[in-house]
Amino acid sequence: MTITEKRDYEYTDLPRLMGLMTGDEKHGPAATSTMDALWVLYDRVLRVGPERVGDPERDRFLLSKGHGPMAYYAVLAAKGFVPVDWLPGFGSYASPLGHHPDRVLVPGAEIGSGSLGHGLPIAVGTALGLRAQGLGTPHVWVLVGDAELDEGSNHEAIAYAGPTGLDRLHTVVIDNSSASHARPGGIAARFDAAGWSARTVDGRDHDALYAAFTAPHPGRPHVVVAQVEPKSA
């Protein structure tokens, strides 16, 4: 199957596509925690596609929670960004599908992830850059893990984005109870205090995710906290 070939895949195909990826260091719980949010975004929300990877008017999706990227790769394969026959080689020496996505090697990947905590600051910069270029159509989405919020760089980004009114900026926090530090009032309260629009939903409920992703938030950046089962469960 080549990148230009297409086949219709459904959400129910994702476990099988993920099952094609084998090897060590799979970070399985990290991958499966993102599966539903990624599917709803790529299937119903994001204005992206294999034919638009270079379109300046496309939405930008940044995967900050890049460790355990099998669900991300499975969704990209299901949507035609990468060939399905790349999946079995995941993590091997010659494979473009590494243990962290590489934007140079993976069609549709906007950033290369590595050390956790950088995606949200990069998303803020991306939204500012699009605004400076006068591109008012693209939305910027970034998916982070709750443990990433232990990193101070995220809180600088949160504190800056709210007062700046970056209403094209959207953050999805996958909350699988892996953060080291609790926050008074929960994760959403931290964003709300900085001027963000914030919603907390069941991270396995596709209709709830879609409603939260598309909720209006004029003049403010938007965060959706998607709660899933604890990582240790």
Side-chain angles (χ1 to χ4, degrees), residues 162-200:
T164 311
L166 293 179
D167 57 2
R168 294 284 170 173
L169 175 63
H170 307 74
T171 299
V172 181
V173 181
I174 301 297
D175 180 9
N176 63 357
S177 302
S178 59
S180 299
H181 307 295
R183 290 170 181 82
I187 294 172
R190 170 67 187 92
F191 286 83
D192 182 69
W196 289 57
S197 166
R199 293 201 175 192
T200 300

Side-chain angles (χ1 to χ4, degrees), residues 94-110:
S95 174
L97 304 182
H99 292 295
H100 281 262
D102 185 327
R103 70 178 184 85
V104 176
L105 300 177
V106 182
E110 297 284 354

Side-chain angles (χ1 to χ4, degrees), residues 144-162:
V144 306
D146 62 321
E148 287 190 74
L149 298 182
D150 291 341
E151 303 289 342
S153 56
N154 287 286
H155 295 278
E156 294 179 2
I158 293 167
Y160 180 84

Side-chain angles (χ1 to χ4, degrees), residues 2-23:
T2 66
I3 292 176
T4 56
E5 292 173 339
K6 293 185 178 180
R7 172 185 164 184
D8 291 331
Y9 286 91
E10 302 294 337
Y11 168 76
T12 53
D13 293 308
L14 292 186
R16 181 178 63 81
L17 293 174
M18 290 177 65
L20 296 175
M21 292 173 270
T22 59

